[in-house]
């Protein structure tokens, strides 16, 4: 399933660069409440809401004057979340190649009331390891934690306190994605960064040759297996 135009816009480099620039320029100050926060806790918000009619208009979508930087609580209030469940839950399957920008995308659109299922971050939270280092000794624990979170997403219903859920995965196999979408009622969001760009990012970010070779191998394996 193709990414809808608004989700696709939030994945674009031009927007991600602008969003980060606005957060830095804010000096950590929320435009609504005036509180001071770490910039990673802030969210850019379009004053004129993006729609299918204006998402391709740079005067609106990429205009820094149309973006205010908000803390989580103010961002939730703007979207009428207020820390409570609003209507049906939404589950998003954010999938794509290693180094495609899946986590960066989720960090841009998610709020503090959302559940994020990211196996890489789970693994890093339970052992002393780098981003691309996944010791065999702790893999089973990481998968068990991920599965527990998926069970929560599947069974929570209206009793949940969280708002939406973002599940980050590679899932190159279309049948695996379709099975997940059917089981969880999820909306697939493909971060469609090209193979060459993923490899370029890996070379830029990873200094250790052995780790870089492994990651490039994962990227190539993903694209060999990927099917729409």
């Amino acid at each position: 399933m193709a990414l809808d135009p608004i989700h696709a816009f939030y994945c674009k480099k031009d927007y991600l660069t602008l969003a980060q620039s606005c957060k830095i320029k804010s000096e950590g100050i929320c435009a609504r409440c005036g509180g001071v926060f770490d910039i990673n806790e802030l969210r850019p918000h379009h004053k004129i809401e993006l729609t299918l009619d204006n998402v391709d208009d740079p005067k609106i979508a990429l205009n820094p004057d149309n973006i205010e930087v908000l803390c989580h609580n103010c961002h939730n209030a703007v979207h009428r979340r207020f820390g409570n469940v609003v209507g049906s839950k939404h589950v998003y399957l954010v999938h794509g190649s290693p180094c495609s920008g899946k986590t960066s995308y989720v960090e841009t659109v998610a709020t503090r009331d959302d559940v994020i299922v990211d196996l890489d971050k789970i693994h890093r939270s339970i052992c002393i390891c780098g981003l691309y280092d996944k010791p065999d000794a702790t893999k089973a624990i990481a998968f068990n934690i991920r599965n527990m979170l998926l069970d929560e997403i599947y069974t929570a219903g209206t009793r949940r306190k969280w708002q939406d859920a973002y599940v980050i995965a590679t899932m190159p196999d279309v049948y695996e994605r379709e099975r997940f979408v059917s089981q969880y009622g999820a909306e697939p969001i493909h971060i469609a960064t090209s193979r060459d760009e993923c490899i370029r990012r890996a070379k830029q970010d990873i200094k250790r040759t052995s780790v870089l070779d492994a990651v490039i191998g994962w990227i190539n394996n993903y694209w060999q297996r990927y099917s729409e």
Side-chain angles (χ1 to χ4, degrees):
M1 181 181 295
L3 199 61
D4 74 73
I6 294 177
H7 277 307
F9 169 79
Y10 285 124
C11 299
K12 291 181 177 179
K13 182 179 180 180
D14 286 348
Y15 170 73
L16 294 174
T17 299
L18 174 62
Q20 185 65 13
S21 173
C22 289
K23 290 198 290 184
I24 292 172
K25 186 176 180 180
S26 76
E27 297 183 340
I29 300 173
C30 173
R32 295 290 179 101
C33 71
V36 180
F37 302 85
D38 185 289
I39 64 169
N40 292 323
E41 298 175 344
L42 298 172
R43 293 290 180 266
H45 171 74
H46 283 89
K47 300 173 188 177
I48 300 175
E49 183 180 0
L50 294 188
T51 67
L52 295 179
D53 292 328
N54 66 26
V55 69
D56 293 323
D57 184 351
K59 294 180 181 179
I60 295 177
L62 292 174
N63 182 357
D65 292 333
N66 187 40
I67 293 178
E68 58 183 343
V69 177
L70 306 178
C71 68
H72 288 295
N73 286 339
C74 289
H75 193 228
N76 287 343
V78 168
H79 291 286
R80 298 182 180 179
R81 291 182 175 121
F82 300 104
N84 298 311
V85 174
V86 179
S88 302
K89 68 180 179 183
H90 297 279
V91 180
Y92 301 99
L93 171 62
V94 183
H95 65 97
S97 168
C99 298
S100 62
K102 301 183 294 296
T103 298
S104 296
Y105 166 77
V106 172
E107 289 176 348
T108 298
V109 299
T111 75
R112 66 183 302 175
D113 292 323
D114 296 335
V115 174
I116 314 299
V117 183
D118 185 340
L119 187 59
D120 287 342
K121 287 192 173 182
I122 292 171
H123 212 149
R124 293 187 74 185
S125 72
I126 62 172
C127 66
I128 300 175
C129 61
L131 177 60
Y132 303 106
D133 180 15
K134 300 176 176 62
D136 289 336
T138 52
K139 278 184 179 179
I141 300 173
F143 277 103
N144 286 341
I145 294 172
R146 184 198 63 173
N147 292 340
M148 180 190 69
L149 292 172
L150 292 177
D151 286 343
E152 161 66 22
I153 291 169
Y154 183 73
T155 61
T158 57
R159 68 173 174 79
R160 78 196 191 284
K161 298 295 185 181
W162 49 273
Q163 180 64 41
D164 296 329
Y166 292 84
V167 179
I168 298 174
T170 52
M171 287 198 189
D173 190 327
V174 64
Y175 299 107
E176 183 181 10
R177 296 195 303 273
E178 289 177 347
R179 183 168 60 249
F180 184 94
V181 167
S182 176
Q183 180 177 356
Y184 291 90
E187 176 183 340
I189 298 176
H190 184 208
I191 307 303
T193 308
S194 70
R195 182 204 305 247
D196 289 346
E197 175 61 15
C198 291
I199 291 175
R200 187 196 67 79
R201 292 178 183 180
K203 289 180 177 179
Q204 176 179 297
D205 296 338
I206 303 170
K207 305 307 179 185
R208 290 177 56 190
T209 301
S210 59
V211 176
L212 176 60
D213 289 344
V215 173
I216 290 177
W218 298 342
I219 293 171
N220 286 328
N221 181 63
Y222 170 87
W223 286 104
Q224 288 170 4
R225 296 174 53 201
Y226 177 71
S227 57
E228 294 185 358

